[in-house]
Amino acid sequence: MPVATYVRDHVGRLYRVGETDVEVSGRSRRTVLWAAWAAMLAAGVGQYGFGALIPQLQDRWSVPELFWALALWTVCQAGTAFPVAWLREQKRLTSTGAMWIGAVLCGAGLVTLGQGQLVGYSILGGVGAGLVYATCLSTVVRWYPEKVTRKVAFVSGAFAYGSVPFVLAAGAYFGGGFLMQAGIVIAVVMVAAGAVMKDPPEHWWPPHIAPREWALDRARVPNRSALREFRTHEAMRCGTFWWLYGGVAFAAAVSLYDLVYLPLFVGDRTLGVVALATLAAATGTGRVLVGWISERIGRRKALVWTLATGGLAQFVLLYSQNVAGLIIGATLAGLGTGCCYSLLVGVSREYFGETNGAQNFGVLYTAKAAGALIAAVVLASQGPMFAFTAAGVLGLAGAVLSKHLSQPGRPRL
């Protein structure tokens, strides 16, 4: 039986080496990765799939009411990230337990929506999706400490493009029992994924990679490791934390607006569903692409460019005169507004350290909730000319805020 040993790198980070993934958990870490991916495929339906339901739900509720329902869902989903991170750090919540609770709540959210309960959808579905989202990302981060951004992008991308089949089915076959059937399928997928989710030992490191050499290499690449480990309250005292928070909040506001109003703005129901499916697919695949690009040009630059793209996409959507323009605008909007989340885990760890990375990310992720409130207050009751223009300005403002990012303690040249 291999014996684990601990080593430190040149900045004092601790690594547990000498054990393979199979030896510490009984299964390959790739199995956990694919289980997290499958769960995220199902979890995103509550957010991206809701936009496809809005044309059908208008018979019962007004557009502002539906907008606020999605905003409340987003607040619950994003607000769950920090409590989940804290409970898991305190060993009071296992990954399997979190996944199973999330599965029940996500399924119940869709079922209650089918029964005409918007608040039930928002609270139950939002908290459930937050449990699954936070658990999947934190588990993948622990199993792939040497490839955090790339694997997070892979898993979080499924949160968006996984809803494409639901969006298309909702547009074509929505009727009695549809949401109940979807809720059951989603819950079963999440329960099955949760059954194989297991965390590695703390500080575990894959034995085929020398951690000290890896750490030295990291000091020479665009995405350099944090200069020290920040606790959450220490990170929140840094100006960089709030520049990042503001950028993500503005991107979330734009994304939420697009999800609700894109199907309505188009007019033709079928074309609106296609545009929304394009948005979701571009968001998911774009997260993987942006994660790969950020490894080469740096995450700050990648974040600035994605937010700027999302802002400019709003003007493309507003002034598009044909189907091609609409699809191009939806694609750019998906690439821009949703891709910041795949970068957020890596940015927070590289700026504020890895020891408290899950909790720091959990607080930063609440910027998505702030963005939902901004969208509901500023954009929900406005006409398309003002709303798309305001959304574009918010996206570009997020890019400007992100240009101010720098590692705390490291001088910018």
Side-chain angles (χ1 to χ4, degrees), residues 81-236:
F82 178 78
V84 171
W86 185 83
L87 288 171
R88 280 170 52 72
E89 291 292 338
Q90 299 297 315
K91 311 300 183 186
R92 298 181 182 180
L93 184 65
T94 65
S95 55
T96 299
M99 292 290 292
W100 286 354
I101 295 171
V104 173
L105 293 178
C106 284
L110 286 181
V111 171
T112 55
L113 181 60
Q115 299 299 315
Q117 299 294 325
L118 273 183
V119 175
Y121 150 77
S122 299
I123 296 178
L124 297 177
V127 173
L131 278 162
V132 174
Y133 190 97
T135 303
C136 287
L137 291 192
S138 63
T139 303
V140 168
V141 165
R142 294 175 184 183
W143 277 114
Y144 288 90
E146 82 284 15
K147 299 177 181 178
V148 167
T149 299
R150 196 178 306 173
K151 297 304 180 182
V152 164
F154 172 73
V155 172
S156 67
F159 188 78
Y161 62 65
S163 63
V164 171
F166 180 91
V167 169
L168 297 176
Y173 307 111
F174 183 76
F178 175 81
L179 289 176
M180 178 172 290
Q181 295 168 10
I184 293 173
V185 171
I186 285 170
V188 169
V189 170
M190 292 178 178
V191 167
V196 300
M197 298 281 279
K198 184 179 181 181
D199 293 328
E202 191 172 4
H203 305 298
W204 178 82
W205 187 261
H208 65 281
I209 299 174
R212 288 172 176 165
E213 287 76 2
W214 178 87
L216 288 173
D217 290 339
R218 293 275 297 169
R220 305 185 185 98
V221 298
N223 302 300
R224 292 181 287 184
S225 300
L227 293 179
R228 71 179 184 89
E229 301 295 318
F230 288 79
R231 296 181 179 178
T232 302
H233 68 275
E234 295 173 328
M236 293 176 67

Side-chain angles (χ1 to χ4, degrees), residues 291-316:
W292 179 81
I293 292 174
S294 70
E295 295 285 350
R296 286 150 180 80
I297 68 172
R299 280 181 245 293
R300 184 182 68 85
K301 289 182 180 179
L303 186 60
V304 170
W305 281 106
T306 55
L307 295 181
T309 299
L312 293 173
Q314 307 309 304
F315 299 101
V316 176

